[in-house]
């Protein structure tokens, strides 16, 4: 089973480095960014299981980043902040934060909160787009109540598209995200598997979910 991936968006490099080391020691894969806009870009480029998000960030503050994330994803987001006011916490939770941790935080407590958020996420991990439903736990895929039988690679591609719903993905991004960085084949394989997916989940339905963005790649949207 692949390691769960956590995106760290924290402008204090010392704190970001400590988080990176502790999380990787616990077996997670991590990526860290130090700016709100860079954090959004990183989130859109990779499929993450959880985000640790500082509130005070250059480029765009954490609340703005959280709003962007919630436009197309239900990934758990734990807010990190030096502010300990009820107003700030309520704002973050109303926008869609999963949890709120005040600095300075105890690392063991933060790790426990991360585990809890990930457990809750797994329990409710049903990704949707219109009438399409994908259950990550059972790997069942249905559209309009009809079961769709996918090969493992088709499933991985659909899962990646759903986790990046409404974000335009290049063939290179899809190749890296689904086939892996060590794949050295032609990017045309992406087009082939997109066609396979369309034949199974779009062809028999009135509204297509996978769209081609000419000159760039593909996007899944409802």
């Amino acid at each position: 089973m692949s390691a769960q991936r956590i995106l760290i968006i924290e402008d204090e490099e010392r704190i970001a480095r400590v988080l990176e080391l502790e999380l990787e020691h616990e077996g997670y894969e991590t990526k860290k960014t130090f700016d709100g806009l860079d954090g959004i870009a990183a989130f859109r480029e990779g499929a993450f299981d959880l985000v640790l998000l500082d509130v005070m960030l250059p480029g765009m503050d954490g609340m703005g980043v959280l709003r962007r994330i919630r436009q197309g994803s239900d990934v758990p987001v734990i807010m990190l902040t030096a502010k300990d006011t009820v107003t700030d916490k309520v704002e973050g939770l109303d926008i869609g934060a999963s949890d709120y941790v005040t600095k300075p935080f105890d690392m063991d407590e933060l790790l426990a909160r991360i585990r809890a958020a990930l457990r809750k996420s797994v329990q409710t991990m049903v990704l949707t787009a219109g009438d399409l439903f994908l259950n990550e736990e059972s790997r069942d895929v249905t559209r309009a109540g009809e079961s769709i039988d996918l090969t493992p690679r088709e499933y991985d591609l659909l899962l990646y598209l759903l986790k990046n719903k409404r974000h335009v993905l290049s063939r290179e991004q899809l190749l890296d995200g689904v086939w892996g960085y060590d794949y050295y084949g032609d990017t045309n394989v992406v087009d082939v598997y997109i066609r396979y997916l369309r034949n199974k989940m779009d062809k028999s339905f009135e509204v297509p979910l996978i769209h081609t963005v000419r000159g760039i790649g593909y996007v899944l949207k409802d």
Side-chain angles (χ1 to χ4, degrees):
M1 184 177 178
S2 59
Q4 291 172 301
R5 303 187 69 219
I6 296 178
L7 175 61
I8 302 164
I9 310 177
E10 166 63 65
D11 68 322
E12 295 185 53
E13 294 192 24
R14 181 185 60 82
I15 293 177
R17 179 58 176 161
V18 169
L19 289 169
E20 179 184 46
L21 291 172
E22 291 287 346
L23 291 169
E24 290 185 353
H25 178 72
E26 293 295 316
Y28 300 107
E29 289 184 7
T30 66
K31 180 177 179 61
K32 62 181 189 294
T33 63
F34 310 107
D35 176 278
L37 295 175
D38 290 342
I40 292 169
F43 180 79
R44 289 175 174 173
E45 290 173 2
F48 293 95
D49 298 289
L50 183 139
V51 178
L52 292 177
L53 176 61
D54 187 27
V55 172
M56 303 298 292
L57 291 168
M60 177 182 289
D61 68 17
M63 297 300 178
V65 173
L66 179 58
R67 287 188 180 92
R68 293 285 187 91
I69 290 174
R70 284 292 174 257
Q71 286 176 0
S73 175
D74 295 322
V75 67
V77 177
I78 297 179
M79 306 293 287
L80 306 176
T81 180
K83 297 181 178 181
D84 191 21
T85 66
V86 173
T87 302
D88 290 319
K89 290 184 178 180
V90 168
E91 181 183 1
L93 293 170
D94 281 346
I95 295 172
S98 308
D99 203 348
Y100 225 101
V101 177
T102 304
K103 299 175 183 177
F105 48 79
D106 179 82
M107 185 57 67
D108 287 336
E109 179 186 357
L110 177 60
L111 290 171
R113 288 174 181 264
I114 289 171
R115 289 192 294 270
L118 289 170
R119 280 197 301 271
K120 184 177 179 181
S121 176
V122 168
Q123 290 168 1
T124 60
M125 190 52 72
V126 177
L127 303 177
T128 67
D131 56 358
L132 176 75
F133 291 83
L134 182 150
N135 186 315
E136 277 198 83
E137 188 171 10
S138 65
R139 297 177 68 90
D140 290 332
V141 178
T142 62
R143 183 161 188 198
E146 295 182 21
S147 180
I148 298 174
D149 186 26
L150 300 177
T151 67
R153 185 68 76 190
E154 291 166 353
Y155 173 88
D156 290 343
L157 177 57
L158 177 59
L159 178 62
Y160 193 81
L161 287 165
L162 279 167
K163 285 189 172 182
N164 294 276
K165 186 169 65 172
R166 303 191 192 99
H167 299 310
V168 178
L169 300 169
S170 68
R171 290 170 178 80
E172 289 75 17
Q173 285 175 306
L174 289 167
L175 203 61
D176 289 342
V178 178
W179 279 263
Y181 290 101
D182 56 351
Y183 179 82
Y184 293 105
D186 197 299
T187 57
N188 286 341
V189 71
V190 173
D191 301 320
V192 171
Y193 274 86
I194 288 289
R195 186 168 67 251
Y196 291 161
L197 269 185
R198 280 174 162 161
N199 285 337
K200 291 185 176 182
M201 54 173 272
D202 273 352
K203 190 174 181 180
S204 300
F205 298 89
E206 184 177 348
V207 179
L209 296 176
I210 299 175
H211 303 268
T212 301
V213 181
R214 190 174 298 278
I216 301 178
Y218 299 98
V219 60
L220 186 148
K221 58 184 179 180
D222 41 17

